[in-house]
């Protein structure tokens, strides 16, 4: 040791003391930089990381940043060009004197300025006919009858509490809840829409996997075709999100998802069908993967929940997609789409209570007073006119509710993200399901599936277009290799059609609803004419958004695209 010390001191004596002091610190700095770099590469990949570094370096050049900001503002101004003038004259404070019933005339005047959506919109409005007749009228009356109600006060508004329980139960039965393979314990809640349903399912999965496996750095894996609500859930609940490219058939790549699963994985996602292309992911294969990996598996049935069960009974080749599939732990289904309920109604379902109950945590909130529980129990003992035990099993106890025990306002519990909820919407969903019944939904499904097939055939007859993948349901996405599909979309927009623009590949889609049944031939004619117009006179039309869509798709700096979206949103509010 003495000899080693002497040799080391002799060797180090040739260096400056300051160098010896700074070398370890510099080494630590380099190690930290390399660790950060490899961490970013692991998350984003080598090519995007290097590209991002290059673009950020370019932005440091004097004048470049201000130039980019100016160009972004031009794009934002073009996106807003049609809406800025409309905001002139918008009210910014209360009127001095109230308008009374005269406000209804003002509202009618404003409503007349809305876009004519009858038969012209992709998705958006799913009920047939006009708002003054048929199912529309029924739903409007049901919502109006219960517009003042709030299931938060369950001892007062027992009717909407029952409606919610029955809507959840009927939806669960529709989606395999009564099959032996489901386990017979399917439960859930009504929510404000598909996004809230997905948020609750993701949070429940996160908390369940933390309780089951002790995972504290959760990750979830989704196909790139999965809804953007999963990105929102990942941000809200601090979950690492892996977005996996779809395969050549535009469905979830099971092999790629399997390779991404690790010890921190809590959840994988499948859609039936996916929003972009209307194609059902391989739910059975994903379910088997989730089951064997002992992780959660959520199926997004927001679009398909009230179509696929009936399409399968009508003889369409619909693969398994619900709780009959082993490994499926949760499902989201929107009643306000093909369930033909009022907007703001969706369902989140869980295979069993264990998945829900893991997410019950102590919080400071104010929801359902413990006095309401006492009232419910008293009513139950007094042989209330409906079965509270059914409500308890499907809605009330332990499950995903946020519980409060230490608040001076009392003991409280919350069933969803919202506290107070509109009972009118719950009543409207119940009215929709009860008025249509299985036969009504089957007939609606037959009509929209037939229209979807007619649209697919019409697109195939247009040589300049191709259909993206093989649609399983009522969404038909199409693109082109010879003309700019976004220019086609702009021309269709000028004719009053409102379709959805997609990327990867550049395409547009139409989500078929009952509104399209009487106008399908009009749509195909306008589509053929739009294709020929673009083919003969290529180039963007005045006021069209094709240049922006095209530029956004080709722009390598995705951060800049995100900034564009934020700038547009901020300036539009």
């Amino acid at each position: 040791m003495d000899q080693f010390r002497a040799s080391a001191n002799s060797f180090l004596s040739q260096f400056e003391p300051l160098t010896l002091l700074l070398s370890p610190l510099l080494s630590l700095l380099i190690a930290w930089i390399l660790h950060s770099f490899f961490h970013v590469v692991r998350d984003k990949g080598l090519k995007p990381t290097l590209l991002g570094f290059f673009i950020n370096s370019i932005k440091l050049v004097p004048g470049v940043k201000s130039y980019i900001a100016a160009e972004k503002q031009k794009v934002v101004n073009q996106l807003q060009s049609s809406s800025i003038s409309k905001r002139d004259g918008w009210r910014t404070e209360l009127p001095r004197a109230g308008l009374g019933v005269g406000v209804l005339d003002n509202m009618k005047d404003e409503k007349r300025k809305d876009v004519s959506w009858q038969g012209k919109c992709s998705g958006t409005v799913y009920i047939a006919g006009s708002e003054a007749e048929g199912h529309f009228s029924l739903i409007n009356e049901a919502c109006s009858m219960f517009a003042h109600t709030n299931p938060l006060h369950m001892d007062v508004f027992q009717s909407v509490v029952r409606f919610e329980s029955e809507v959840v139960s009927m939806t669960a039965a529709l989606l395999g809840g009564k099959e032996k393979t489901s386990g017979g314990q399917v439960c859930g809640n009504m929510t404000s829409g598909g996004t809230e349903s997905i948020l609750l399912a993701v949070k429940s999965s996160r908390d369940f996997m933390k309780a089951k496996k002790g995972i504290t750095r959760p990750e979830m894996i989704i196909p790139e075709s999965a809804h953007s609500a999963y990105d929102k859930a990942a941000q809200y609940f601090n979950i690492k999100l892996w977005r996996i490219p779809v395969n050549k058939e535009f469905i979830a790549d099971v092999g790629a998802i399997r390779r991404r699963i690790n010890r921190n994985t809590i959840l994988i996602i499948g859609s039936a069908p996916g929003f972009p292309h209307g194609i059902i992911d391989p739910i059975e294969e994903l379910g088997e993967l989730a089951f064997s990996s002992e992780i959660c598996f959520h199926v997004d049935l927001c679009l398909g929940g009230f179509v696929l069960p009936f399409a399968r009974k009508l003889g369409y080749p619909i693969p398994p997609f619900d709780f009959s599939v082993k490994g499926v732990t949760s499902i989201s289904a929107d009643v306000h789409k093909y369930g033909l309920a009022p907007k703001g109604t969706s369902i989140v379902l869980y295979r069993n209570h264990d998945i829900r109950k893991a997410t019950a945590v102590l919080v400071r909130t104010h929801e359902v007073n413990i006095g309401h529980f006492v009232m419910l129990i008293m009513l139950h003992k007094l042989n209330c006119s409906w079965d509270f035990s059914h409500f308890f099993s499907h809605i009330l106890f332990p499950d995903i509710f946020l519980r409060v025990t230490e608040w001076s306002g009392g003991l409280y519990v919350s069933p969803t993200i919202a506290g107070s909820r509109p009972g009118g919407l719950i009543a409207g969903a119940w009215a929709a399901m009860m008025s249509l019944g299985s036969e009504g939904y089957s007939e609606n499904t037959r009509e929209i599936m037939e229209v979807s097939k007619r649209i697919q055939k019409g697109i195939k007859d247009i040589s300049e277009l191709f259909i993206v993948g093989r649609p399983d349901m009522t969404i038909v996405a199409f693109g082109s290799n010879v003309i700019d599909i976004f220019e086609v979309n702009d021309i269709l927009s000028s004719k009053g059609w409102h379709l959805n623009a997609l990327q990867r590949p550049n395409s547009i889609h139409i989500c078929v609803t009952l509104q399209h049944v009487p106008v399908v031939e009009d749509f195909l004619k306008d589509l053929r004419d739009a294709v020929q117009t673009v083919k003969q006179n290529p180039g963007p039309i005045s006021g069209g958004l094709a240049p922006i869509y095209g530029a956004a798709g080709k722009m390598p700096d995705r951060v800049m695209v995100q900034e564009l979206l934020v700038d547009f949103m901020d300036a539009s509010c």
Side-chain angles (χ1 to χ4, degrees):
M1 292 297 296
D2 289 341
Q3 185 177 1
F4 172 76
R5 185 183 64 178
S7 298
N9 288 334
S10 175
F11 174 76
L12 294 174
S13 64
Q14 59 185 314
F15 297 100
E16 289 283 343
L18 185 60
T19 302
L20 296 177
L21 179 64
L22 294 179
S23 293
L25 298 177
L26 182 61
S27 299
L28 287 174
L29 177 62
I30 294 173
W32 178 79
I33 293 173
L34 290 175
H35 177 269
S36 300
F37 175 77
F38 286 119
H39 182 74
V40 173
V41 170
R42 173 179 172 270
D43 285 353
K44 297 183 178 180
L46 180 60
K47 183 178 178 181
T49 300
L50 295 176
L51 182 61
F53 177 77
F54 174 75
I55 291 174
N56 288 332
S57 299
I58 293 294
K59 291 179 181 178
L60 296 176
V61 176
V64 171
K65 190 172 183 178
S66 58
Y67 172 78
I68 292 175
E71 292 300 308
K72 282 198 302 181
Q73 190 58 47
K74 290 180 182 178
V75 175
V76 171
N77 290 341
Q78 185 174 349
L79 286 169
Q80 293 180 316
S81 58
S82 62
S83 61
I84 291 177
S85 59
K86 295 177 184 177
R87 292 200 296 273
D88 292 341
W90 281 15
R91 187 175 295 277
T92 59
E93 58 185 32
L94 284 170
R96 185 180 62 82
L99 302 180
V101 295
V103 72
L104 297 177
D105 293 330
N106 285 13
M107 295 176 75
K108 290 175 183 177
D109 290 340
E110 290 300 320
K111 188 171 184 178
R112 279 191 282 268
K113 299 174 185 177
D114 288 345
V115 170
S116 177
W117 47 261
Q118 288 81 356
K120 291 280 190 173
C121 292
S122 171
T124 311
V125 179
Y126 293 77
I127 303 174
S130 71
E131 293 175 284
E133 60 185 17
H135 190 75
F136 254 128
S137 178
L138 182 148
I139 295 303
N140 291 342
E141 184 172 351
C143 290
S144 175
M145 190 185 307
F146 291 87
H148 61 284
T149 65
N150 178 1
L152 175 67
H153 303 284
M154 57 179 65
D155 56 325
V156 178
F157 303 114
Q158 300 168 31
S159 53
V160 294
V161 174
R162 174 178 180 171
F163 294 155
E164 178 173 14
S165 177
E166 292 188 354
V167 168
V168 171
S169 298
M170 289 188 289
T171 306
L174 196 63
L175 301 178
K178 291 187 177 297
E179 300 292 331
K180 285 186 177 181
T181 50
S182 74
Q185 297 184 40
V186 175
C187 53
N189 296 95
M190 286 192 68
T191 71
S192 62
T195 293
E196 186 182 1
S197 292
I198 287 171
L199 289 174
L200 289 173
V202 171
K203 184 181 186 301
S204 297
S205 300
R206 183 199 68 174
D207 296 347
F208 176 69
M209 294 301 292
K210 181 178 181 180
K212 180 181 178 181
K213 289 187 174 182
I215 296 176
T216 57
R217 300 178 64 185
E219 300 181 6
M220 66 176 174
I221 307 169
I222 69 173
E224 65 179 10
S225 56
H227 198 275
S228 56
Y230 298 101
D231 295 83
K232 182 178 289 188
Q235 291 182 27
Y236 284 4
F237 305 135
N238 196 26
I239 299 172
K240 171 62 185 175
L241 180 67
W242 295 104
R243 188 177 287 276
I244 306 299
V246 294
N247 63 20
K248 62 182 180 180
E249 296 175 337
F250 297 96
I251 60 175
D253 189 329
V254 179
I257 292 175
R258 179 184 291 108
R259 290 189 293 273
R260 179 59 68 181
I261 291 176
N262 58 47
R263 64 183 181 181
N264 289 321
T265 303
I266 60 166
L267 177 67
I268 60 175
I269 304 299
S271 302
F275 170 80
H277 312 122
I279 305 173
I280 299 174
D281 286 327
I283 303 301
E284 280 191 304
E285 294 179 52
L286 290 171
E288 182 179 347
L289 174 60
F291 186 81
S292 61
S293 303
E294 297 184 316
I295 58 177
C296 293
F297 174 34
H298 179 76
V299 178
D300 187 346
L301 276 163
C302 288
L303 272 166
F306 286 82
V307 173
L308 296 181
F310 304 103
R312 184 164 54 187
K313 290 180 180 179
L314 289 171
Y316 286 94
I318 305 297
F321 56 85
D322 55 20
F323 284 116
S324 63
V325 176
K326 182 175 67 173
V328 174
T329 54
S330 58
I331 285 175
S332 53
D334 285 356
V335 201
H336 65 202
K337 290 187 171 73
Y338 291 106
L340 307 190
K343 291 300 180 184
T345 52
S346 179
I347 303 290
V348 58
L349 297 171
Y350 305 90
R351 181 174 287 272
N352 54 55
H353 293 271
D354 289 338
I355 297 171
R356 289 205 304 179
K357 72 172 65 173
T359 193
V361 296
L362 295 177
V363 295
R364 288 192 174 272
T365 183
H366 55 289
E367 307 304 341
V368 181
N369 190 288
I370 192 65
H372 297 161
F373 290 108
V374 175
M375 180 64 72
L376 285 174
I377 294 171
M378 290 174 62
L379 289 171
H380 184 51
K381 288 182 177 180
L382 292 173
N383 296 318
C384 183
S385 60
W386 57 280
D387 184 6
F388 273 90
S389 63
H390 178 71
F391 170 68
F392 291 155
S393 65
H394 277 280
I395 296 287
L396 195 55
F397 290 129
D399 311 331
I400 67 165
F401 293 17
L402 302 178
R403 306 168 187 175
V404 185
T405 63
E406 306 304 320
W407 183 45
S408 59
L411 300 177
Y412 285 83
V413 64
S414 170
T416 61
I417 291 175
S420 292
R421 292 180 295 146
L425 297 184
I426 294 172
W430 187 85
M433 296 177 71
M434 293 295 289
S435 65
L436 290 168
S438 294
E439 292 181 358
Y441 282 120
S442 292
E443 178 59 23
N444 291 339
T445 298
R446 183 188 63 77
E447 290 190 43
I448 58 177
M449 290 294 284
E450 287 180 358
V451 168
S452 174
K453 299 303 178 185
R454 287 169 63 185
I455 290 177
Q456 290 180 53
K457 182 180 183 304
I459 293 172
K460 289 178 181 177
D461 290 340
I462 302 174
S463 60
E464 293 83 4
L465 302 180
F466 66 84
I467 294 177
V468 180
R470 291 177 293 191
D472 289 306
M473 209 182 82
T474 53
I475 294 176
V476 185
F478 52 95
S480 177
N481 292 320
V482 294
I483 56 176
D484 189 331
I485 196 63
F486 296 135
E487 292 179 12
V488 173
N489 191 36
D490 281 343
I491 293 177
L492 288 173
S493 295
S494 69
K495 296 176 181 289
W497 298 98
H498 300 273
L499 307 187
N500 293 92
L502 313 172
Q503 59 182 351
R504 300 176 183 175
N506 287 351
S507 51
I508 56 180
H509 86 207
I510 180 169
C511 178
V512 178
T513 73
L514 291 170
Q515 288 283 329
H516 297 118
V517 173
V519 298
V520 58
E521 292 303 326
D522 294 338
F523 170 72
L524 290 174
K525 178 183 181 302
D526 285 347
L527 177 59
R528 287 191 292 267
D529 292 345
V531 169
Q532 290 306 311
T533 298
V534 173
K535 186 176 181 180
Q536 295 168 10
N537 302 285
I541 66 174
S542 177
L545 298 178
I548 295 175
Y549 281 123
K554 297 174 183 177
M555 194 176 293
D557 186 2
R558 307 312 292 175
V559 174
M560 187 182 298
V561 179
Q562 294 174 8
E563 292 172 352
L564 275 173
L565 294 175
V566 173
D567 290 345
F568 170 67
M569 182 183 67
D570 283 347
S572 300
C573 295

